[in-house]
mmCIF file of all heavy atoms in Angstrom:
data_model
loop_
_atom_site.group_PDB
_atom_site.id
_atom_site.type_symbol
_atom_site.label_atom_id
_atom_site.label_comp_id
_atom_site.label_asym_id
_atom_site.label_seq_id
_atom_site.Cartn_x
_atom_site.Cartn_y
_atom_site.Cartn_z
ATOM 1 N N GLU A 1 75.828 99.863 101.159
ATOM 2 C CA GLU A 1 76.406 99.713 99.827
ATOM 3 C C GLU A 1 77.842 99.229 99.894
ATOM 4 O O GLU A 1 78.301 98.469 99.055
ATOM 5 C CB GLU A 1 76.333 101.038 99.072
ATOM 6 C CG GLU A 1 74.902 101.446 98.763
ATOM 7 C CD GLU A 1 74.815 102.749 97.997
ATOM 8 O OE1 GLU A 1 75.806 103.117 97.328
ATOM 9 O OE2 GLU A 1 73.760 103.388 98.075
ATOM 10 N N ARG A 2 78.576 99.681 100.902
ATOM 11 C CA ARG A 2 79.954 99.238 101.084
ATOM 12 C C ARG A 2 80.412 99.633 102.484
ATOM 13 O O ARG A 2 79.859 100.547 103.101
ATOM 14 C CB ARG A 2 80.862 99.818 100.026
ATOM 15 C CG ARG A 2 81.171 101.284 100.209
ATOM 16 C CD ARG A 2 82.078 101.770 99.103
ATOM 17 N NE ARG A 2 82.956 102.801 99.585
ATOM 18 C CZ ARG A 2 83.239 103.896 98.929
ATOM 19 N NH1 ARG A 2 82.744 104.087 97.739
ATOM 20 N NH2 ARG A 2 84.044 104.794 99.422
ATOM 21 N N LEU A 3 81.430 98.955 102.958
ATOM 22 C CA LEU A 3 82.060 99.282 104.228
ATOM 23 C C LEU A 3 83.502 99.660 103.924
ATOM 24 O O LEU A 3 84.187 98.963 103.188
ATOM 25 C CB LEU A 3 82.022 98.071 105.169
ATOM 26 C CG LEU A 3 80.635 97.537 105.490
ATOM 27 C CD1 LEU A 3 80.737 96.234 106.264
ATOM 28 C CD2 LEU A 3 79.836 98.559 106.274
ATOM 29 N N PHE A 4 83.955 100.763 104.472
ATOM 30 C CA PHE A 4 85.296 101.241 104.171
ATOM 31 C C PHE A 4 85.932 101.767 105.445
ATOM 32 O O PHE A 4 85.452 102.741 106.024
ATOM 33 C CB PHE A 4 85.225 102.342 103.102
ATOM 34 C CG PHE A 4 86.567 102.928 102.732
ATOM 35 C CD1 PHE A 4 87.493 102.176 102.034
ATOM 36 C CD2 PHE A 4 86.887 104.225 103.067
ATOM 37 C CE1 PHE A 4 88.716 102.706 101.688
ATOM 38 C CE2 PHE A 4 88.109 104.770 102.724
ATOM 39 C CZ PHE A 4 89.036 104.003 102.026
ATOM 40 N N GLY A 5 86.970 101.086 105.899
ATOM 41 C CA GLY A 5 87.687 101.524 107.088
ATOM 42 C C GLY A 5 88.803 102.480 106.705
ATOM 43 O O GLY A 5 89.341 102.424 105.603
ATOM 44 N N SER A 6 89.140 103.366 107.598
ATOM 45 C CA SER A 6 90.191 104.334 107.325
ATOM 46 C C SER A 6 91.089 104.475 108.545
ATOM 47 O O SER A 6 90.610 104.492 109.680
ATOM 48 C CB SER A 6 89.573 105.695 106.994
ATOM 49 O OG SER A 6 90.577 106.692 106.925
ATOM 50 N N ASN A 7 92.384 104.591 108.307
ATOM 51 C CA ASN A 7 93.315 104.835 109.412
ATOM 52 C C ASN A 7 93.699 106.311 109.498
ATOM 53 O O ASN A 7 94.605 106.691 110.209
ATOM 54 C CB ASN A 7 94.563 103.966 109.254
ATOM 55 C CG ASN A 7 95.322 104.256 107.987
ATOM 56 O OD1 ASN A 7 95.098 105.261 107.315
ATOM 57 N ND2 ASN A 7 96.233 103.363 107.637
ATOM 58 N N GLU A 8 92.964 107.150 108.789
ATOM 59 C CA GLU A 8 93.294 108.572 108.705
ATOM 60 C C GLU A 8 93.325 109.251 110.087
ATOM 61 O O GLU A 8 94.268 109.980 110.403
ATOM 62 C CB GLU A 8 92.302 109.281 107.793
ATOM 63 C CG GLU A 8 92.631 110.737 107.541
ATOM 64 C CD GLU A 8 91.641 111.388 106.585
ATOM 65 O OE1 GLU A 8 90.765 110.708 106.023
ATOM 66 O OE2 GLU A 8 91.762 112.599 106.418
ATOM 67 N N LYS A 9 92.311 109.002 110.913
ATOM 68 C CA LYS A 9 92.255 109.687 112.213
ATOM 69 C C LYS A 9 93.355 109.226 113.157
ATOM 70 O O LYS A 9 93.990 110.050 113.815
ATOM 71 C CB LYS A 9 90.886 109.475 112.878
ATOM 72 C CG LYS A 9 89.805 110.334 112.290
ATOM 73 C CD LYS A 9 88.505 110.164 113.048
ATOM 74 C CE LYS A 9 87.408 111.017 112.470
ATOM 75 N NZ LYS A 9 86.145 110.847 113.184
ATOM 76 N N ILE A 10 93.591 107.914 113.215
ATOM 77 C CA ILE A 10 94.649 107.457 114.131
ATOM 78 C C ILE A 10 96.008 107.956 113.678
ATOM 79 O O ILE A 10 96.855 108.310 114.496
ATOM 80 C CB ILE A 10 94.638 105.922 114.331
ATOM 81 C CG1 ILE A 10 95.476 105.573 115.543
ATOM 82 C CG2 ILE A 10 95.109 105.178 113.096
ATOM 83 C CD1 ILE A 10 95.148 104.285 116.194
ATOM 84 N N SER A 11 96.209 108.036 112.377
ATOM 85 C CA SER A 11 97.469 108.576 111.869
ATOM 86 C C SER A 11 97.611 110.055 112.213
ATOM 87 O O SER A 11 98.677 110.509 112.631
ATOM 88 C CB SER A 11 97.553 108.396 110.350
ATOM 89 O OG SER A 11 97.601 107.041 110.017
ATOM 90 N N LYS A 12 96.528 110.781 112.070
ATOM 91 C CA LYS A 12 96.551 112.228 112.325
ATOM 92 C C LYS A 12 96.795 112.541 113.795
ATOM 93 O O LYS A 12 97.594 113.414 114.129
ATOM 94 C CB LYS A 12 95.228 112.844 111.874
ATOM 95 C CG LYS A 12 95.111 114.326 112.133
ATOM 96 C CD LYS A 12 93.768 114.854 111.669
ATOM 97 C CE LYS A 12 93.606 116.315 112.008
ATOM 98 N NZ LYS A 12 92.291 116.826 111.600
ATOM 99 N N PHE A 13 96.125 111.818 114.696
ATOM 100 C CA PHE A 13 96.181 112.165 116.117
ATOM 101 C C PHE A 13 97.300 111.470 116.887
ATOM 102 O O PHE A 13 97.595 111.859 118.018
ATOM 103 C CB PHE A 13 94.837 111.887 116.774
ATOM 104 C CG PHE A 13 93.744 112.794 116.284
ATOM 105 C CD1 PHE A 13 92.674 112.296 115.570
ATOM 106 C CD2 PHE A 13 93.793 114.171 116.508
ATOM 107 C CE1 PHE A 13 91.659 113.132 115.108
ATOM 108 C CE2 PHE A 13 92.798 115.015 116.046
ATOM 109 C CZ PHE A 13 91.732 114.490 115.342
ATOM 110 N N THR A 14 97.911 110.457 116.312
ATOM 111 C CA THR A 14 98.952 109.737 117.057
ATOM 112 C C THR A 14 100.266 109.606 116.300
ATOM 113 O O THR A 14 101.215 109.051 116.827
ATOM 114 C CB THR A 14 98.473 108.308 117.408
ATOM 115 O OG1 THR A 14 98.353 107.555 116.192
ATOM 116 C CG2 THR A 14 97.178 108.314 118.168
ATOM 117 N N ASN A 15 100.299 110.090 115.084
ATOM 118 C CA ASN A 15 101.481 109.944 114.231
ATOM 119 C C ASN A 15 101.798 108.478 113.926
ATOM 120 O O ASN A 15 102.927 108.136 113.582
ATOM 121 C CB ASN A 15 102.706 110.635 114.835
ATOM 122 C CG ASN A 15 102.535 112.127 114.889
ATOM 123 O OD1 ASN A 15 102.029 112.731 113.946
ATOM 124 N ND2 ASN A 15 102.922 112.734 115.997
ATOM 125 N N TRP A 16 100.814 107.618 114.071
ATOM 126 C CA TRP A 16 100.977 106.207 113.736
ATOM 127 C C TRP A 16 101.098 106.045 112.232
ATOM 128 O O TRP A 16 100.432 106.732 111.465
ATOM 129 C CB TRP A 16 99.770 105.413 114.238
ATOM 130 C CG TRP A 16 99.791 103.968 113.816
ATOM 131 C CD1 TRP A 16 100.418 102.950 114.448
ATOM 132 C CD2 TRP A 16 99.165 103.407 112.660
ATOM 133 N NE1 TRP A 16 100.215 101.786 113.758
ATOM 134 C CE2 TRP A 16 99.455 102.036 112.656
ATOM 135 C CE3 TRP A 16 98.392 103.931 111.620
ATOM 136 C CZ2 TRP A 16 98.995 101.177 111.670
ATOM 137 C CZ3 TRP A 16 97.938 103.086 110.630
ATOM 138 C CH2 TRP A 16 98.235 101.716 110.662
ATOM 139 N N THR A 17 101.959 105.136 111.822
ATOM 140 C CA THR A 17 102.052 104.765 110.413
ATOM 141 C C THR A 17 102.136 103.249 110.323
ATOM 142 O O THR A 17 102.712 102.592 111.194
ATOM 143 C CB THR A 17 103.291 105.370 109.717
ATOM 144 O OG1 THR A 17 104.463 104.936 110.396
ATOM 145 C CG2 THR A 17 103.231 106.879 109.686
ATOM 146 N N SER A 18 101.570 102.720 109.291
ATOM 147 C CA SER A 18 101.587 101.282 109.069
ATOM 148 C C SER A 18 102.990 100.823 108.706
ATOM 149 O O SER A 18 103.699 101.500 107.958
ATOM 150 C CB SER A 18 100.617 100.922 107.940
ATOM 151 O OG SER A 18 100.717 99.554 107.641
ATOM 152 N N GLU A 19 103.376 99.676 109.230
ATOM 153 C CA GLU A 19 104.679 99.110 108.888
ATOM 154 C C GLU A 19 104.579 98.168 107.697
ATOM 155 O O GLU A 19 105.603 97.721 107.182
ATOM 156 C CB GLU A 19 105.243 98.355 110.090
ATOM 157 C CG GLU A 19 105.538 99.240 111.276
ATOM 158 C CD GLU A 19 106.093 98.470 112.454
ATOM 159 O OE1 GLU A 19 106.631 97.362 112.252
ATOM 160 O OE2 GLU A 19 105.970 98.964 113.579
ATOM 161 N N TYR A 20 103.361 97.839 107.292
ATOM 162 C CA TYR A 20 103.149 96.854 106.238
ATOM 163 C C TYR A 20 102.210 97.388 105.167
ATOM 164 O O TYR A 20 101.258 98.086 105.468
ATOM 165 C CB TYR A 20 102.491 95.586 106.811
ATOM 166 C CG TYR A 20 103.330 94.864 107.821
ATOM 167 C CD1 TYR A 20 103.223 95.167 109.175
ATOM 168 C CD2 TYR A 20 104.221 93.885 107.432
ATOM 169 C CE1 TYR A 20 103.986 94.504 110.109
ATOM 170 C CE2 TYR A 20 104.987 93.208 108.354
ATOM 171 C CZ TYR A 20 104.869 93.522 109.698
ATOM 172 O OH TYR A 20 105.627 92.853 110.618
ATOM 173 N N SER A 21 102.465 96.988 103.941
ATOM 174 C CA SER A 21 101.460 97.161 102.905
ATOM 175 C C SER A 21 100.488 95.989 103.064
ATOM 176 O O SER A 21 100.787 95.019 103.779
ATOM 177 C CB SER A 21 102.112 97.099 101.518
ATOM 178 O OG SER A 21 102.593 95.786 101.259
ATOM 179 N N PHE A 22 99.356 96.040 102.408
ATOM 180 C CA PHE A 22 98.426 94.914 102.484
ATOM 181 C C PHE A 22 99.116 93.638 102.004
ATOM 182 O O PHE A 22 99.042 92.591 102.644
ATOM 183 C CB PHE A 22 97.176 95.188 101.643
ATOM 184 C CG PHE A 22 96.184 94.071 101.721
ATOM 185 C CD1 PHE A 22 95.251 94.031 102.743
ATOM 186 C CD2 PHE A 22 96.205 93.043 100.796
ATOM 187 C CE1 PHE A 22 94.360 92.984 102.842
ATOM 188 C CE2 PHE A 22 95.314 91.990 100.878
ATOM 189 C CZ PHE A 22 94.385 91.960 101.909
ATOM 190 N N ASP A 23 99.811 93.734 100.883
ATOM 191 C CA ASP A 23 100.455 92.552 100.300
ATOM 192 C C ASP A 23 101.544 91.979 101.200
ATOM 193 O O ASP A 23 101.632 90.763 101.368
ATOM 194 C CB ASP A 23 101.027 92.884 98.927
ATOM 195 C CG ASP A 23 99.946 93.127 97.884
ATOM 196 O OD1 ASP A 23 98.824 92.607 98.062
ATOM 197 O OD2 ASP A 23 100.213 93.837 96.903
ATOM 198 N N SER A 24 102.370 92.835 101.799
ATOM 199 C CA SER A 24 103.432 92.306 102.662
ATOM 200 C C SER A 24 102.855 91.726 103.954
ATOM 201 O O SER A 24 103.353 90.728 104.469
ATOM 202 C CB SER A 24 104.494 93.376 102.961
ATOM 203 O OG SER A 24 103.965 94.435 103.735
ATOM 204 N N GLY A 25 101.786 92.322 104.470
ATOM 205 C CA GLY A 25 101.127 91.771 105.652
ATOM 206 C C GLY A 25 100.489 90.427 105.357
ATOM 207 O O GLY A 25 100.565 89.494 106.162
ATOM 208 N N LEU A 26 99.865 90.305 104.184
ATOM 209 C CA LEU A 26 99.268 89.040 103.777
ATOM 210 C C LEU A 26 100.353 87.981 103.614
ATOM 211 O O LEU A 26 100.216 86.852 104.092
ATOM 212 C CB LEU A 26 98.496 89.220 102.476
ATOM 213 C CG LEU A 26 97.812 87.979 101.921
ATOM 214 C CD1 LEU A 26 96.792 87.431 102.912
ATOM 215 C CD2 LEU A 26 97.135 88.312 100.597
ATOM 216 N N GLU A 27 101.450 88.345 102.991
ATOM 217 C CA GLU A 27 102.569 87.419 102.796
ATOM 218 C C GLU A 27 103.107 86.920 104.133
ATOM 219 O O GLU A 27 103.364 85.726 104.312
ATOM 220 C CB GLU A 27 103.669 88.127 102.004
ATOM 221 C CG GLU A 27 104.855 87.270 101.666
ATOM 222 C CD GLU A 27 105.894 88.053 100.877
ATOM 223 O OE1 GLU A 27 105.529 88.719 99.885
ATOM 224 O OE2 GLU A 27 107.068 88.000 101.259
ATOM 225 N N GLU A 28 103.265 87.824 105.090
ATOM 226 C CA GLU A 28 103.782 87.428 106.405
ATOM 227 C C GLU A 28 102.779 86.546 107.152
ATOM 228 O O GLU A 28 103.158 85.591 107.829
ATOM 229 C CB GLU A 28 104.126 88.667 107.241
ATOM 230 C CG GLU A 28 104.850 88.302 108.514
ATOM 231 C CD GLU A 28 105.501 89.481 109.188
ATOM 232 O OE1 GLU A 28 106.029 90.368 108.489
ATOM 233 O OE2 GLU A 28 105.489 89.508 110.431
ATOM 234 N N THR A 29 101.493 86.841 107.032
ATOM 235 C CA THR A 29 100.458 86.026 107.678
ATOM 236 C C THR A 29 100.444 84.615 107.101
ATOM 237 O O THR A 29 100.390 83.622 107.858
ATOM 238 C CB THR A 29 99.077 86.687 107.508
ATOM 239 O OG1 THR A 29 99.117 87.981 108.116
ATOM 240 C CG2 THR A 29 97.982 85.850 108.150
ATOM 241 N N ILE A 30 100.509 84.495 105.795
ATOM 242 C CA ILE A 30 100.525 83.172 105.156
ATOM 243 C C ILE A 30 101.772 82.409 105.578
ATOM 244 O O ILE A 30 101.711 81.216 105.899
ATOM 245 C CB ILE A 30 100.440 83.312 103.623
ATOM 246 C CG1 ILE A 30 99.046 83.818 103.227
ATOM 247 C CG2 ILE A 30 100.758 81.986 102.939
ATOM 248 C CD1 ILE A 30 98.921 84.248 101.785
ATOM 249 N N SER A 31 102.884 83.082 105.632
ATOM 250 C CA SER A 31 104.133 82.455 106.070
ATOM 251 C C SER A 31 103.992 81.933 107.505
ATOM 252 O O SER A 31 104.456 80.838 107.830
ATOM 253 C CB SER A 31 105.279 83.462 105.967
ATOM 254 O OG SER A 31 106.472 82.907 106.438
#
């Protein structure tokens, strides 16, 4: 019905946090 990825586990176990929002990452990729 749908595919949904989550960064919840990597954040929980490694204290990783994203440096980009989807929009800012898309903007940088297009640039």
Side-chain angles (χ1 to χ4, degrees):
E1 293 181 23
R2 74 180 213 223
L3 301 172
F4 179 69
S6 171
N7 61 14
E8 185 178 354
K9 283 184 180 179
I10 195 156
S11 295
K12 178 180 176 182
F13 293 114
T14 67
N15 294 318
W16 174 86
T17 58
S18 175
E19 296 180 22
Y20 297 91
S21 68
F22 181 86
D23 290 335
S24 66
L26 180 60
E27 183 180 311
E28 189 166 323
T29 300
I30 291 169
S31 177

